[in-house]
C-alpha cells in the first residue's frame, strides 16, 4: 500500500513538475507585446504610407522591419465603439452601446465576453494599461482594470499627459523586463484640437504642402457645433484661435503626429536598451480616422463611414515576420486580437467574432475576408470589399436632422476607381446593392442571434447565482 502511495505521489509530483516546466518554457518563448493606439490617425498622413511630409520617422522604421497593412478597416468611426470592438474582438451593434457605467460593466461580465487583457493575464503575462482620458470608455476601463497589474489613465488629453503616459509606460517596461509583458498605450493625439508642443507647431509651416494648400483653399469659418461641421466650417472643439487657414490645421495635425512619433521612439529605445526589442511584438494602430474636408466635413469624425474615417494604419513588427512588406489584403481591426493569440499559440475564445490573419502575414495565403463591416450605432452601416463599398443609411443623425440633411438610403462606391467616394453608383448597379443588402441582412441576423443566445446564457447564470444566494 505504501509502495502504491509513493508511486502515485511520484507520478503526481512529476506531472506537476512537467506542467510547471512546460508553462515556464512557454512563458519564456512568448514575446512581449507592445500595442500603441493613436486616436484619429489617418494612414495617409504617415510617411511610410507615402505622405510627403516626414511625420513619422520612428513608425517608418518599424514598418521597414515589419508588416504594413494598406487595407485595415475599423469597425466604427467613433472611439467608444471602435476600441471595445478591438479588445473584445466583437462587432458592436447599436443595442450593445450603453453609457451608464454600471450597465456597461454588466455588459462586459453578463454577456460572457472576454477581452485580450484578461486572456493575457491568465496566460502568465504582466499587464500594463496606459490610457488616454475618455468618459465614454471609463466603464470599459473599469471592466478590464481588474486584470491589469498596472493601469494609468490620463487626467486630460494634452501633450503633458501623453508625456506622463510614456513616462509610466517606460517604468513599467523596466520593472517587467524579466517576465513576458503586455503593454497597451492609448494616446489621445492626433485627435482634435491639434496642439503639438510649441517646438513642433512651426515644423511644417511654410513648406511646399503648406504653400500649395494656402493657394488652393479659402478661409474656413467657425461652426456653432462643438464636434461637427458642414460646409467649410471648423468645429468648435478643433478651432485654434485666431486661425482659419486650412493649411494651418493640417500642419498642426502633422506636427501632432510627429510629437507622438517621438514618444514612440522613446518606447523603442527603452526596449533596445533592455535587450527586449528583438523578442517584442510591436503593433501601431488607430481606432478611426479623421475628415479633412471630404464630404464637406472638416477636422472631425463619427457621424459618417467614409474611407478617411474607417481606413486606419496598422503596422506590426516581430522577429519572425517578413521585413518591409506591404499587405493589401483587407482585414478588420476585430481580427487583430485573434491574430495576437494565434502568434502566442493561445486558443481563440468562441465569443470572438474576428479571425486571425497570421497566415496572411506569413505568406501562406493572400486572401482573408471578402467583406469588412463598420457600424455607426443605429444610424448607418457599411459593407466593404476590395472593389465596392455600400453604405446603408438607416436614419439621420441628430446633427443631420438639425441641418435638414437627408442622406440617400444607399450609397455605393467603386473605391478602386473612386477613392474619394464622390460618385454614388447605387442606381447604376442595383444588382450589387441587392447582393450587398442580402449580405448585410445575414450579418445583422448572425450578430443578433449571438446576442440573444448570450442573453439566454445570462438568464441561466443569474438563476444559478440566485440559487447559491449571491443574488437576491
Amino acid at each position: 500500500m505504501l509502495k502504491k502511495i509513493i508511486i502515485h505521489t511520484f507520478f503526481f509530483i512529476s506531472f506537476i513538475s512537467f506542467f510547471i516546466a512546460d508553462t515556464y518554457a512557454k512563458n519564456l518563448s512568448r514575446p512581449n507585446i507592445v500595442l500603441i493606439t493613436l486616436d484619429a490617425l489617418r494612414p495617409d498622413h504617415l510617411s511610410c504610407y507615402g505622405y510627403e511630409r516626414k511625420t513619422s520617422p520612428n513608425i517608418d522604421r518599424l514598418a521597414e522591419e515589419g508588416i504594413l497593412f494598406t487595407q485595415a478597416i475599423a469597425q466604427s468611426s467613433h472611439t467608444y465603439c471602435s476600441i471595445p470592438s478591438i479588445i473584445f474582438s466583437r462587432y458592436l451593434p447599436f443595442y450593445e452601446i450603453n453609457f451608464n457605467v454600471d450597465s456597461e460593466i454588466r455588459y462586459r461580465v453578463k454577456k460572457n465576453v472576454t477581452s485580450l487583457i484578461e486572456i493575457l493575464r491568465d496566460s502568465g503575462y504582466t499587464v500594463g494599461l496606459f490610457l488616454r482620458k475618455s468618459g465614454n470608455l471609463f466603464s470599459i476601463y473599469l471592466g478590464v482594470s481588474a486584470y491589469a497589474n498596472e493601469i494609468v489613465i490620463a487626467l486630460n488629453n494634452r501633450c503633458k499627459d501623453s508625456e506622463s503616459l510614456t513616462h509610466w509606460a517606460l517604468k513599467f517596461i523596466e520593472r517587467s523586463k524579466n517576465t513576458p509583458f503586455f503593454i497597451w498605450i492609448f494616446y489621445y493625439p492626433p485627435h482634435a484640437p491639434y496642439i503639438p508642443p510649441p517646438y513642433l507647431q512651426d515644423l511644417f509651416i511654410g513648406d511646399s504642402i503648406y504653400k500649395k494648400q494656402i493657394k488652393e483653399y479659402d478661409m474656413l469659418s467657425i461652426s456653432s457645433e462643438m464636434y461637427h461641421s458642414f460646409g467649410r466650417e471648423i468645429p468648435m472643439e478643433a478651432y485654434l484661435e485666431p486661425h482659419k487657414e486650412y493649411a494651418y490645421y493640417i500642419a498642426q495635425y502633422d506636427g501632432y503626429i510627429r510629437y507622438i512619433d517621438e514618444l514612440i521612439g522613446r518606447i523603442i529605445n527603452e526596449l533596445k536598451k533592455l535587450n527586449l526589442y528583438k523578442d517584442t511584438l510591436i503593433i501601431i494602430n488607430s481606432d478611426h480616422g479623421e475628415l479633412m474636408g471630404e464630404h464637406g466635413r472638416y477636422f472631425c469624425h463619427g457621424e459618417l463611414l467614409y474611407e478617411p474615417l474607417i481606413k486606419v494604419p496598422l503596422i506590426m513588427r516581430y522577429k519572425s515576420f517578413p521585413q518591409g512588406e506591404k499587405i493589401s489584403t483587407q482585414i478588420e481591426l476585430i481580427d487583430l486580437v485573434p491574430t495576437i493569440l494565434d502568434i502566442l499559440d493561445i486558443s481563440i475564445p468562441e465569443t470572438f467574432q474576428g479571425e486571425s490573419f497570421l497566415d496572411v502575414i506569413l505568406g501562406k495565403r493572400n486572401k482573408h475576408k471578402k467583406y469588412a463591416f463598420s457600424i455607426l450605432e443605429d444610424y448607418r452601416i457599411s459593407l466593404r470589399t476590395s472593389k465596392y463599398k455600400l453604405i446603408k443609411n438607416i436614419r439621420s443623425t441628430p446633427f443631420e436632422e438639425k441641418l435638414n440633411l437627408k442622406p440617400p438610403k444607399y450609397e455605393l462606391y467603386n473605391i478602386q476607381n473612386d477613392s474619394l467616394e464622390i460618385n454614388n453608383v447605387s442606381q447604376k448597379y442595383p444588382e450589387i446593392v441587392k447582393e450587398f443588402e442580402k449580405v448585410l441582412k445575414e450579418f445583422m441576423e448572425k450578430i443578433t442571434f449571438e446576442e440573444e443566445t448570450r442573453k439566454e446564457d445570462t438568464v441561466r447564470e443569474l438563476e444559478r447565482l440566485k440559487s447559491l444566494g449571491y443574488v437576491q
Side-chain angles (χ1 to χ4, degrees):
M1 180 68 180
L2 180 61
K3 187 177 180 181
K4 274 189 175 180
I5 293 174
I6 292 172
I7 291 172
H8 289 166
T9 304
F10 171 76
F11 279 115
F12 176 73
I13 292 173
S14 297
F15 172 76
I16 293 297
S17 299
F18 173 79
F19 176 77
I20 293 172
D22 183 59
T23 303
Y24 180 70
K26 279 186 177 180
N27 283 342
L28 284 180
S29 64
R30 283 177 174 168
N32 303 309
I33 305 167
V34 176
L35 171 61
I36 301 176
T37 303
L38 285 69
D39 201 326
L41 174 63
R42 291 175 56 134
D44 59 357
H45 279 250
L46 295 176
S47 315
C48 52
Y49 278 86
Y51 194 42
E52 293 179 39
R53 282 176 172 160
K54 298 301 180 185
T55 56
S56 51
N58 290 295
I59 296 175
D60 296 348
R61 280 190 285 273
L62 288 176
E64 289 170 3
E65 297 176 9
I67 304 288
L68 180 150
F69 292 86
T70 64
Q71 303 294 322
I73 305 301
Q75 273 49 78
S76 188
S77 58
H78 250 308
T79 297
Y80 63 75
C81 296
S82 183
I83 289 296
S85 286
I86 294 171
I87 63 172
F88 294 119
S89 185
R90 295 192 62 77
Y91 300 102
L92 285 186
F94 63 90
Y95 49 71
E96 290 194 355
I97 303 298
N98 189 325
F99 293 123
N100 177 279
V101 171
D102 191 41
S103 296
E104 206 165 359
I105 293 172
R106 285 204 183 105
Y107 152 76
R108 202 201 67 77
V109 176
K110 282 189 175 181
K111 292 183 179 177
N112 303 318
V113 296
T114 306
S115 75
L116 172 67
I117 289 92
E118 59 196 272
I119 293 172
L120 292 182
R121 176 66 186 275
D122 291 344
S123 300
Y125 273 77
T126 302
V127 175
L129 308 177
F130 303 86
L131 310 170
R132 55 151 286 197
K133 177 185 176 183
S134 176
N136 290 335
L137 287 178
F138 184 66
S139 57
I140 295 293
Y141 288 173
L142 284 179
V144 299
S145 64
Y147 300 94
N149 298 86
E150 185 173 332
I151 181 168
V152 176
I153 301 175
L155 293 177
N156 61 55
N157 289 316
R158 296 296 178 262
C159 291
K160 185 177 179 181
D161 285 87
S162 295
E163 291 273 358
S164 180
L165 290 181
T166 305
H167 169 80
W168 291 112
L170 292 173
K171 294 285 187 184
F172 173 85
I173 291 172
E174 203 283 330
R175 286 195 303 271
S176 307
K177 61 186 176 184
N178 295 321
T179 61
F181 63 79
F182 166 69
I183 184 170
W184 178 28
I185 310 173
F186 182 18
Y187 286 119
Y188 183 80
H191 190 292
Y194 316 138
I195 310 177
Y199 71 92
L200 289 173
Q201 290 178 8
D202 294 333
L203 180 62
F204 300 115
I205 299 295
D207 69 5
S208 59
I209 294 177
Y210 184 88
K211 290 176 181 177
K212 181 181 179 182
Q213 290 173 345
I214 286 289
K215 288 181 180 179
E216 292 181 351
Y217 289 84
D218 295 329
M219 287 288 192
L220 303 172
S221 57
I222 312 303
S223 173
S224 60
E225 296 288 329
M226 179 60 73
Y227 304 111
H228 305 296
S229 70
F230 185 76
R232 303 195 59 75
E233 292 181 338
I234 305 168
M236 291 173 62
E237 178 192 41
Y239 180 46
L240 303 173
E241 191 175 5
H243 295 281
K244 297 180 182 178
E245 316 94 300
Y246 175 84
Y248 181 82
Y249 285 85
I250 301 301
Q252 299 314 300
Y253 180 81
D254 292 343
Y256 222 1
I257 296 171
R258 181 64 171 262
Y259 166 65
I260 289 298
D261 183 81
E262 291 180 358
L263 298 185
I264 291 172
R266 288 170 57 186
I267 301 293
I268 293 170
N269 289 338
E270 181 70 7
L271 293 170
K272 289 180 177 179
K273 185 181 80 172
L274 297 172
N275 293 317
L276 300 173
Y277 182 73
K278 179 183 176 183
D279 296 318
T280 299
L281 168 63
I282 303 175
I283 303 166
I284 308 290
N285 76 335
S286 179
D287 53 349
H288 55 74
E290 187 85 326
L291 287 170
M292 299 292 188
E294 297 89 353
H295 300 273
R297 311 290 180 99
Y298 288 80
F299 319 133
C300 60
H301 51 265
E303 284 283 312
L304 304 169
L305 293 175
Y306 293 117
E307 291 290 280
L309 292 171
I310 64 170
K311 185 188 283 190
V312 293
L314 178 61
I315 295 162
M316 302 178 70
R317 179 253 166 226
Y318 185 49
K319 62 183 180 181
S320 62
F321 289 177
Q323 292 190 358
E325 187 165 328
K326 291 186 178 181
I327 294 180
S328 59
T329 302
Q330 177 173 262
I331 62 103
E332 298 179 294
L333 285 190
I334 64 164
D335 301 329
L336 179 58
V337 170
T339 303
I340 293 172
L341 296 184
D342 203 4
I343 294 168
L344 303 179
D345 196 24
I346 295 175
S347 298
I348 298 172
E350 292 182 359
T351 58
F352 281 14
Q353 293 172 329
E355 301 173 12
S356 170
F357 52 82
L358 179 58
D359 282 351
V360 175
I361 292 175
L362 300 178
K364 296 180 180 179
R365 57 187 171 93
N366 58 12
K367 293 183 179 179
H368 184 52
K369 286 181 172 177
K370 182 178 180 180
Y371 303 111
F373 301 91
S374 302
I375 303 170
L376 186 69
E377 301 178 58
D378 58 345
Y379 300 116
R380 47 185 52 101
I381 183 171
S382 69
L383 166 64
R384 187 186 188 279
T385 66
S386 59
K387 184 175 182 179
Y388 286 103
K389 175 178 169 187
L390 179 73
I391 300 173
K392 182 178 181 180
N393 298 301
I394 302 167
R395 67 188 184 96
S396 298
T397 66
F399 179 65
E400 288 170 333
E401 289 180 349
K402 185 176 181 179
L403 297 183
N404 198 28
L405 299 173
K406 296 180 180 179
K409 182 176 181 180
Y410 296 112
E411 297 175 61
L412 179 69
Y413 300 100
N414 183 332
I415 52 178
Q416 281 187 351
N417 301 328
D418 180 22
S419 60
L420 297 178
E421 297 164 293
I422 294 172
N423 301 308
N424 179 2
V425 294
S426 59
Q427 293 185 349
K428 185 177 180 180
Y429 300 109
E431 70 280 3
I432 298 178
V433 174
K434 185 177 180 180
E435 175 194 343
F436 281 15
E437 176 63 73
K438 182 181 178 182
V439 174
L440 279 177
K441 183 180 178 182
E442 292 172 352
F443 167 73
M444 291 304 295
E445 285 177 349
K446 179 179 182 293
I447 61 176
T448 303
F449 173 77
E450 289 187 10
E451 163 71 5
E452 294 303 318
T453 302
R454 291 200 313 281
K455 282 182 179 178
E456 291 172 8
D457 292 341
T458 300
V459 170
R460 286 194 290 270
E461 178 65 10
L462 190 60
E463 291 302 319
R464 188 181 74 83
L465 292 174
K466 284 181 179 179
S467 68
L468 294 173
Y470 292 115
V471 177
Q472 299 297 320

